[in-house]
Amino acid sequence: MRIIALMLTLAVFSTSWGHPPHEHSPPIRPGGERFNPIPPLGNRLPPSHRRVYNRPTYLGGKVAYIIAPSSQGAMSWHENVHRGSYRNHAGRIEPMYMYPKPWEVLTVGPRVEK
């Protein structure tokens, strides 16, 4: 019986623990709620080295190659070092692979009966 009384008491008084609602809402300013002294940079940033050259920076790629040689950045750096892209200041390189796609090689049709 005591447990039931305790549960009912907690259920009744737990609603009074909440904060009362605001009597009036805060003022709304045009252009947003707060003044932002540092505007968002957005699209004004210069494009990254990775985006311009399609490869990581030399130092970043070398660090990645030391830490995790099987990562995408490390393998891309390693390939471009051997290609001489950093030494020759080569521009953007888009590798092209001239082989058939896997779905083009697969034979379509029923199985051959043996």
Side-chain angles (χ1 to χ4, degrees), residues 1 4 10-11 13-14 18-19 21 33-34 43-44 48-49 53 56-57 62-63 67-68 76-77 83-84 92 94-95:
M1 191 68 183
I4 294 173
L10 287 175
F13 288 114
S14 66
H19 190 273
E33 293 184 16
R34 297 180 180 171
N43 296 338
R44 298 182 205 152
S48 66
H49 186 275
Y53 295 106
T57 61
K62 188 169 188 173
V63 169
I67 294 173
S76 175
W77 173 83
R83 188 183 291 152
R92 185 179 180 92
E94 292 285 342

Side-chain angles (χ1 to χ4, degrees), residues 34-82:
R34 297 180 180 171
F35 174 70
N36 193 1
I38 302 173
L41 298 174
N43 296 338
R44 298 182 205 152
L45 290 173
S48 66
H49 186 275
R50 179 77 176 191
R51 184 173 181 171
V52 172
Y53 295 106
N54 196 27
R55 62 178 180 261
T57 61
Y58 183 82
L59 184 61
K62 188 169 188 173
V63 169
Y65 188 75
I66 292 169
I67 294 173
S70 61
S71 67
Q72 180 187 7
M75 289 191 290
S76 175
W77 173 83
H78 189 73
E79 179 182 340
N80 282 290
V81 163
H82 284 292

